């Protein structure tokens, strides 16, 4: 059997027809690639550089410290342009597998950091400073090796939990969107193929982008895709450059037929005037549109908005209208994150009431939708 793209043997990586489409080019029209020397010299790095022949390649000592990109306030005004035209190539140095227990049993070391989409509430750019293009880690093989060793050390899952009744679930896309990453290279395909051969594990990732190339990856039930959803009006304001919500919903049946487990993220829930009616409309749309087979296996995560003071200041420089919905000091309280970020979340009483109300709406309008967790 011919070798795969990562040199491990098995089926070759599937052809990527959508990757070269006009829609893909609108998402990523790379003009500049900042690359660590080791990343640029790797097989995957050379592959990516060849994929964007018009791009200027700039050598950088670290993907975290790029003059003119990170820490430059002027980039806030060209937030979307940076995401569209800039790509960073790095080599992942740490391979920590962190316990989670909510969305997944474990958070895997991801194949990327950052995103070409521009959701106004995204937590990833809080650490990057005024620019958050995709950083692709070119050593996906090391990630797969680490996950294989970690999984072997766990043995079979001893008991069901809210992550999954049988499999250890690994979130492979905590700091990026694997569907968008697949426009750049085959890292997502490699990870899906790895989990396909691990009968005691599942990969999991959330996405706001419908990439039909993923339908050819043949996951055989070992990858859970979680389509992130919010009411259409909220999405138009806050989910910048993402696939329309109706398109994400419509794709669910195709992905189930292609061998994925299909779940949903109802997130973030933004409390604003009219939010209950908006979510009622979304839940009714799910009930009307989704095929019975999707409903039979679907589950959801409900995540209330957490915002960040530094990101609030950045957003004021490129999308101030979003902050009218996201920044609500009269409803929010400070929450210091593990990495020292100055976050805000809805006050405990208001948050608890909103979660309970959304559960009631789900029970009334989409009673088949099991809520795995809500916070």
């Amino acid at each position: 059997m011919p070798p795969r793209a990562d040199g491990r043997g098995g089926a070759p990586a599937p052809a990527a027809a959508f990757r070269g489409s006009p829609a893909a080019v609108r998402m990523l029209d790379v003009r500049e690639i900042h690359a660590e020397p080791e990343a640029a010299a790797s097989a995957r790095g050379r592959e990516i550089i060849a994929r964007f022949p018009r791009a200027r390649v700039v050598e950088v000592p670290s993907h975290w410290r790029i003059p003119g990109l990170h820490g430059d306030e002027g980039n806030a005004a060209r937030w979307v342009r940076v995401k569209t035209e800039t790509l960073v190539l790095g080599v992942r140095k740490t391979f920590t597998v962190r316990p989670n227990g909510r969305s997944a049993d474990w958070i895997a070391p991801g194949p990327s950091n950052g995103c070409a989409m521009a959701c106004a509430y995204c937590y990833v750019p809080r650490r990057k400073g005024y620019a958050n293009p995709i950083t692709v880690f070119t050593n996906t093989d090391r990630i797969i090796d680490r996950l294989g060793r970690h999984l072997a050390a766990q043995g079979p899952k001893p008991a069901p939990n809210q992550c999954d009744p049988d499999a250890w679930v690994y979130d492979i896309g905590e700091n990026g969107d694997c569907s968008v990453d697949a426009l750049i290279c085959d890292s997502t395909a490699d990870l899906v193929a790895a989990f396909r051969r691990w009968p005691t594990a599942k990969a999991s990732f959330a996405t706001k982008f419908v990439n039909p190339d993923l339908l050819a990856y043949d996951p055989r039930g070992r990858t859970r895709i979680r389509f992130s959803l919010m009411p259409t009006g909220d999405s138009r304001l806050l989910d910048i450059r993402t696939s329309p919500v109706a398109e994400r919903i419509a794709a669910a049946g195709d992905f189930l037929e292609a061998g994925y487990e299909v779940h949903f993220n109802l997130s973030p829930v933004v409390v604003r005037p009219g939010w209950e009616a908006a979510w009622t409309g979304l839940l009714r749309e799910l009930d009307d549109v989704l095929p019975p087979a999707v409903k039979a296996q679907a589950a959801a995560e409900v995540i209330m908005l957490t915002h960040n003071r530094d990101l609030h200041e950045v957003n004021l420089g490129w999308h101030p209208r979003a902050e009218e919905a996201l920044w609500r000091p009269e409803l929010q309280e400070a929450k210091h994150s593990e990495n020292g970020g100055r976050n805000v979340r809805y006050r405990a009483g208001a948050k608890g009431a909103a979660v309970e109300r959304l559960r009631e709406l789900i029970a009334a309008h989409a009673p088949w939708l099991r809520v795995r967790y809500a916070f």
Side-chain angles (χ1 to χ4, degrees):
M1 188 173 286
R4 294 187 338 184
D6 62 3
R8 293 171 173 274
F18 181 73
R19 187 183 286 177
S21 69
V25 173
R26 283 194 298 273
M27 178 64 68
L28 276 172
D29 185 14
V30 176
R31 307 294 181 88
E32 190 166 81
I33 298 175
H34 299 273
E36 295 176 350
E38 185 180 348
S42 68
R44 175 128 299 158
R46 295 195 305 272
E47 220 177 86
I48 294 169
I49 290 169
R51 158 132 176 67
F52 299 103
R54 292 194 303 157
R56 181 172 72 103
V57 180
V58 181
E59 183 178 306
V60 294
S62 168
H63 67 270
W64 276 116
R65 296 187 300 277
I66 301 176
L69 189 61
H70 299 149
D72 182 350
E73 284 190 52
N75 281 325
R78 50 195 296 271
W79 190 257
V80 171
R81 182 175 176 182
V82 169
K83 285 171 167 289
T84 306
E85 298 183 356
T86 305
L87 184 63
V88 181
L89 303 184
V91 175
R92 178 172 274 286
K93 308 296 195 303
T94 59
F95 299 90
T96 305
V97 180
R98 303 188 343 259
N100 179 251
R102 282 179 171 168
S103 178
D105 294 292
W106 307 97
I107 304 296
S112 70
N113 182 296
C115 189
M117 296 183 290
C119 300
Y121 48 81
C122 180
Y123 60 85
V124 177
R126 296 173 190 171
R127 295 178 61 197
K128 287 196 169 183
Y130 303 107
N132 183 37
I134 300 174
T135 297
V136 173
F137 300 118
T138 60
N139 52 340
T140 315
D141 55 337
R142 293 283 306 280
I143 295 173
I144 292 171
D145 284 342
R146 175 69 180 104
L147 292 176
R149 293 195 306 274
H150 186 272
L151 180 59
Q154 304 313 306
K157 194 170 193 174
N161 63 10
Q162 65 95 17
C163 300
D164 194 83
D166 303 304
W168 294 110
V169 180
Y170 292 78
D171 192 319
I172 61 172
E174 181 189 36
N175 290 320
D177 190 305
C178 291
S179 297
V180 178
D181 294 348
L183 298 176
I184 300 168
C185 66
D186 292 329
S187 293
T188 301
D190 292 344
L191 283 159
V192 170
F195 279 89
R196 186 171 61 219
R197 65 175 186 265
W198 291 333
T200 60
K202 282 181 184 175
S204 177
F205 64 90
T207 185
K208 302 182 187 77
F209 185 68
V210 178
N211 182 346
D213 286 342
L214 273 65
L215 297 172
Y217 286 4
D218 190 24
R220 302 180 194 175
R222 309 316 303 176
T223 293
R224 172 185 296 164
I225 189 168
R226 297 159 14 237
F227 286 105
S228 292
L229 306 176
M230 62 168 57
T232 297
D234 288 356
S235 180
R236 286 174 179 158
L237 177 65
L238 305 174
D239 275 356
I240 310 303
R241 309 191 79 226
T242 62
S243 297
V245 169
E247 187 176 324
R248 301 177 217 171
I249 295 171
D254 293 335
F255 276 80
L256 183 67
E257 288 184 12
Y260 291 88
E261 184 178 41
V262 178
H263 285 192
F264 300 99
N265 280 10
L266 307 184
S267 73
V269 179
V270 178
V271 177
R272 58 166 182 79
W275 75 271
E276 294 174 56
W279 279 94
T280 296
L282 174 64
L283 292 166
R284 287 176 174 169
E285 182 179 359
L286 289 172
D287 192 50
D288 290 343
V289 171
L290 290 177
V294 173
K295 294 180 181 179
Q297 54 83 70
E301 303 168 12
V302 175
I303 306 171
M304 302 297 295
L305 172 71
T306 296
H307 200 27
N308 175 270
R309 181 175 291 276
D310 294 337
L311 182 59
H312 167 65
E313 297 296 333
V314 171
N315 285 350
L316 289 175
W318 76 278
H319 191 18
R321 269 208 326 123
E323 290 306 300
E324 296 173 11
L326 298 177
W327 192 255
R328 301 283 304 281
E330 73 279 11
L331 295 178
Q332 294 165 328
E333 62 184 4
K335 172 187 181 291
H336 291 286
S337 66
E338 293 176 0
N339 61 14
R342 300 180 297 167
N343 296 345
V344 293
R345 63 183 175 189
Y346 296 121
R347 299 181 192 278
K351 178 179 177 180
V355 168
E356 184 55 33
R357 181 60 182 139
L358 189 55
R359 284 186 179 273
E360 292 172 356
L361 294 175
I362 292 169
H365 303 292
W368 44 268
L369 185 57
R370 175 172 58 93
V371 176
R372 290 204 296 112
Y373 76 91
F375 80 99

